Amino acid sequence: MILLRRFAALGALATTLGISAPEARLENGLARTPPMGWNSWNHFGCNVSEQLIREEADAIAASGMRDIGYRYVVIDDCWQTARDARGEIVADSARFPHGIKALADYVHGKGLKFGIYTDAGTKTCQGRPATLGHEEQDARTYAAWGVDYVKEDWCNAAGLVAPTQYAKFRDALAHAGRPIVLSICEWGSNQPWEWAPPIGNLWRTTDDIGDNWASMLSNLDQNAQHAAVARPGAWNDPDMLEIGNGGMTDDEYRAHFSLWAIMAAPLMAGHDVRTMSPSTKAILTNAEVIAVDQDSLGRQGMLVWESPPELQVWAKPLADGSRAVALLNRSSAAAKIAASLPRIGLHVDSVTVRDLWAHADRGRFGKEYAVEVPPHAVVMLRVTPVKR
Ligand code: GLA
């Protein structure tokens, strides 16, 4: 199955490297590059409060994460407890004593944007009140609170039709009159890559990520199948980042970050920013890797070569004609991996190579660049044609 999927990815290479697919995307003017920010779920689960979100926003600003691009601060599930007599959604008053509007104002005051979570069904995944039948009302409420980003989940949605429900919420957000990113979260269960581009700015393609190497690779392999669909305003979402949560080595987290950047994935950090280690910070604020993710061409990179099943070369075309390349070693032994120029889509005599984790120029090469890659790691490169 995985191999079949990989062949499909190789087959779609021409599309991604050269020919543009027809334009079809949500025209709300947002997410022209993949959204970047922070979300509470991966680290805190239901344990959210206004105090926590304020402290995380403070840390995102103070650590430099904000200024390098992490803008959306998103509260995931469990902020809501009920609906009032008028059907208005009610926040947990013990955990959010000043209400969501005051929290959004605080986040905005930090130079950040504010995001929130709901669900298209009757209840959220954690059993809180969800949006079914309240689409226009909730969209108005969110707009009045100053929400900039909504993640809409798909639990407790039996019998509902995903494109219909998500389009309903897209329209409700448009009627509410505030520019709001719509993040579709139905885990790839209704083939969103076929219908989501004109509805949401991003859509999950996988189940929830776990903080381990196997889960990260599984989400990579699934998300990679839909590369041809991604474009500015409309992104495949292989789920949020686990960097800094402790379940992977630094090499594995560097691979996670590199591969998400190669796939033009949303970069939503999911750790405790207040206590992050220097190595977590160095990974999440690598400006050269972020530039690959945020490249204005907006193409999702693809698998372009493999020695099954463990050694792979991934490549992403960039606006300046260069290629971002990840040499990925999925095995548990060090191995040499070569990026040949035709395989990464460069039909030129020579290139310069820069290593984006070593922050070092490697020189000028013809034909290929080959290097030893440690186990469970990537070497990430920017490969630029030499102009004659
Ligand atoms: C689903 C989503 C997760 C998270 C939880 C919250 O599992 O996929 O990202 O939002 O719900 O309950």
Side-chain angles (χ1 to χ4, degrees):
M1 185 64 177
I2 294 281
L3 267 183
L4 275 179
R5 284 184 175 148
R6 290 203 193 138
F7 282 126
L10 289 168
L13 176 64
T15 315
T16 293
L17 293 183
I19 309 148
S20 347
E23 292 289 297
R25 63 181 175 222
L26 174 56
E27 291 299 346
N28 64 1
L30 301 172
R32 309 310 296 168
T33 61
M36 292 177 64
W38 176 90
N39 174 299
S40 55
W41 183 254
N42 281 358
H43 192 87
F44 295 99
C46 259
N47 198 14
V48 288
S49 67
E50 69 179 35
Q51 186 64 23
L52 172 77
I53 302 299
R54 283 175 185 231
E55 289 177 11
E56 295 293 343
D58 291 348
I60 290 162
S63 63
M65 281 182 65
R66 176 193 64 197
D67 293 341
I68 210 152
Y70 295 88
R71 284 294 155 87
Y72 292 99
V73 175
V74 182
I75 319 179
D76 208 277
D77 208 345
C78 301
W79 62 268
Q80 62 288 71
T81 49
R83 288 197 181 271
D84 69 13
R86 290 173 297 122
E88 296 287 345
I89 191 80
V90 176
D92 182 332
S93 60
R95 288 173 173 266
F96 297 88
H98 298 91
I100 302 296
K101 166 107 179 53
L103 182 54
D105 289 347
Y106 184 87
V107 169
H108 289 150
K110 286 274 155 185
L112 293 161
K113 292 185 177 292
F114 180 73
I116 210 160
Y117 163 100
T118 189
D119 182 292
T122 52
K123 285 191 181 334
T124 72
C125 294
Q126 301 302 313
R128 306 304 178 96
T131 292
L132 186 63
H134 295 271
E135 291 83 4
E136 296 281 332
Q137 186 174 24
D138 285 355
R140 274 197 304 274
T141 303
Y142 297 159
W145 285 346
V147 167
D148 305 298
Y149 181 115
V150 178
K151 171 176 169 180
E152 192 180 34
D153 217 334
W154 191 241
C155 281
N156 304 299
L160 298 175
V161 178
T164 307
Q165 291 310 123
Y166 283 106
K168 198 176 270 186
F169 200 58
R170 168 201 60 192
D171 294 344
L173 290 174
H175 299 153
R178 182 179 171 87
I180 298 179
V181 171
L182 177 54
S183 162
I184 294 175
C185 178
E186 54 73 86
W187 326 298
S189 53
N190 301 273
Q191 292 75 47
W193 40 89
E194 290 172 4
W195 50 263
I199 297 178
N201 294 108
L202 58 156
W203 52 88
R204 284 272 297 276
T205 56
T206 70
D207 279 343
D208 290 6
I209 194 169
D211 186 15
N212 62 79
W213 178 246
S215 171
M216 187 276 286
L217 290 182
S218 163
N219 283 19
L220 165 74
D221 292 338
Q222 293 173 66
N223 194 68
Q225 304 314 305
H226 316 296
V229 179
R231 57 179 53 84
W235 309 102
N236 289 304
D237 176 8
D239 206 2
M240 302 173 291
L241 301 171
E242 290 284 10
I243 297 152
N245 283 334
M248 292 187 242
T249 66
D250 284 347
D251 269 350
E252 291 174 337
Y253 281 141
R254 275 188 283 272
H256 178 17
F257 199 60
S258 304
L259 293 161
W260 263 230
I262 287 274
M263 294 195 293
L267 299 178
M268 301 299 286
H271 64 309
D272 187 348
V273 186
R274 301 169 303 180
T275 57
M276 74 178 154
S277 68
S279 63
T280 294
K281 180 174 163 183
I283 293 169
L284 287 167
T285 60
N286 182 329
E288 296 191 80
V289 176
I290 291 172
V292 169
D293 182 78
Q294 297 287 301
D295 184 77
S296 62
L297 190 60
R299 293 280 180 80
Q300 179 172 332
M302 308 190 66
L303 177 64
V304 296
W305 177 87
E306 65 180 341
S307 170
E310 310 266 61
L311 309 180
Q312 297 182 329
V313 178
W314 294 76
K316 176 186 201 280
L318 302 174
D320 67 357
S322 62
R323 295 287 185 274
V325 174
L327 309 176
L328 171 63
N329 182 356
R330 302 163 73 123
S331 82
S332 46
K336 197 162 197 179
I337 305 181
S340 90
L341 301 190
R343 278 187 195 133
I344 63 171
L346 292 179
H347 302 280
V348 295
D349 295 334
S350 72
V351 294
T352 55
V353 172
R354 182 166 173 81
D355 184 316
L356 304 188
W357 288 109
H359 300 294
D361 292 327
R362 296 304 190 204
R364 196 164 161 160
F365 298 84
K367 201 167 169 267
E368 67 173 29
Y369 177 79
V371 69
E372 179 148 299
V373 184
H376 286 204
V378 298
V379 167
M380 175 112 171
L381 308 168
R382 189 166 181 129
V383 181
T384 307
V386 175
K387 291 206 177 64
R388 282 198 275 183

